[in-house]
Amino acid sequence: MIKGLSQTECELKVAFDDNVNKRGTQEQNWEDYAGWTLPYLYPEDTSTGTEMQHDYQALGAQAVNHLANKIVMTLFAPGRPFFRLELTPEQQAGLLAAGLTAADVEVLTGRVERESMRNMEKVNLRTSVIGALKNLIVLGNTLIFFPPKDKMQQKSQIYSLRDYTIRRDLGGNVLQIITRDRRVVSTLPEDLQAACKFKGHKDDDKVDLFTGVTRQNDGKFFVKQEVADIQIVGESYGLYTERDLPWMALTWNLVRGEDYGVGLVEEYAGDFSVYSQLSESVLNLAAIASDIKILVNPASQTDIDALNESESGTFVHGLPDDVQYLQLEKMQDFQFVQGILDVYGRRLGSAFLLNTQVTRDAERVTAEEIRLQANELESSLGGVYSRLAEEMQQPLARLLIEMLESDLSEIEPVILTGVESLSRNSEHEQMMLLLNDLTILNNVPEMALGELNITELTRILAANRGIEMDKILKTDQQKQAEQQAAMQQQEQMMAMEQAQQP
């Protein structure tokens, strides 16, 4: 039986240590990836508290920060929801039967979407997502914990790979997550404090709190906690369905049969390694070149002391050839190394969507050229956006909706994925484009216009834009009512004109 399901044994610390030992050389690789980019994501030594060792270049940190913020701005654009509430035909029929119009339903769902987005800051969502994406890009893995609905006053947390382990089946499904939190005894829940004090711990002692999340045979997750080698009972147990699990384990790319994912930095580890070494070489060359040495001919008659003590512009006895600067004849080598460094910098910039690194160095770079480069780079991450939409945005959208406790909280949110997620075109923007399409009809000759079925043409154009025309086109009943109203108005005007005639 997998360790973590027993309600009588203290087993999480042993299971955590076993899982860490199974990582093998993977931990050294994570240290290298973090060292090239953001060392604090996986520091080499967490016990001494000394300053972390940074690399000889800053392109890695710039690239990761840029890409993480770019993805967040794409998936969670400020000022508008990243999801839509899509009612089933039965739900729509029920609201319409209650006297609401299609426009009323749109307004109602839109209000829920906007209020859900206001709750993002309550759980520290945007900050947590940025931290999670940095871990995904560099290390390929991250774990986000969102407090349950009854503890929404707490903030969400991002776990470092040093503080959690995970096991998966061949299909990538989570079998077990074990987290480690170093806590002061006085900050623990009351039942955990009592258990620690029973074992002799004081209020200001630091203890390791282990939380085990283990899948049972029925698919549900059994959760329990242990602290300071003490088996905890009571409130520390819980049972969650996969949908309601507050722990979200994400990967950048996951290979079948592996427990941990592969990050973007690992995919370009060779380029990062070369770029780091070349940066060190450039730094060494620059340090040698900046070390100024002046050579003096030992057989010269120039008085070196008089030369040093003389004021500027004064005359000193000597020969020019007696004193010379030591020249570093490595400028050609320096330019060669710098050229190779620039090549690798552009390659890494292309991988991390850094337009400043990819755009050619020229006097005239057109805006169209920059736009095409940006679109090409964005399309390279289309699969990542789609996966994050499914694994990250969908659960987050459900969480935000459930926080409202609205009547619409049971409606499944719909996330735009893939290329649609890149463009982030709203329905309003698509409608404006449709109207722009219809204005082209003004340039169609009247003879050809008379042969066209404008209504059907409008429907086809709207379908290509992804717009439901039934929401905005008038029904036959509405048209007849408007025609009757127009006829009545015309008859009234005629009657008034006749009444005014002498």
Side-chain angles (χ1 to χ4, degrees), residues 451-490:
E451 298 295 327
L452 296 176
N453 187 329
I454 303 301
T455 302
E456 291 302 317
L457 177 61
T458 303
R459 289 183 179 275
I460 294 174
L461 293 174
N464 292 334
R465 291 289 182 189
I467 299 174
E468 299 180 22
M469 287 302 296
D470 293 338
K471 294 181 179 180
I472 58 177
L473 282 183
K474 297 177 181 179
T475 62
D476 293 337
Q477 293 81 2
Q478 289 175 327
K479 292 179 181 179
Q480 292 178 0
E482 290 180 357
Q483 290 176 356
Q484 292 177 358
M487 291 177 61
Q488 292 177 358
Q489 185 178 5
Q490 186 175 5

Side-chain angles (χ1 to χ4, degrees), residues 26-67:
Q26 208 165 17
E27 292 200 342
Q28 180 60 53
N29 294 336
W30 288 335
E31 289 180 3
D32 293 338
Y33 306 151
W36 292 328
T37 52
L38 302 174
Y40 65 84
L41 294 179
Y42 203 84
E44 294 182 3
D45 188 1
T46 59
S47 60
T48 60
T50 58
E51 181 181 1
M52 288 175 287
Q53 179 64 44
H54 293 268
D55 201 39
Y56 294 96
Q57 47 80 31
L59 178 62
Q62 179 190 3
V64 171
N65 286 325
H66 173 81
L67 183 57

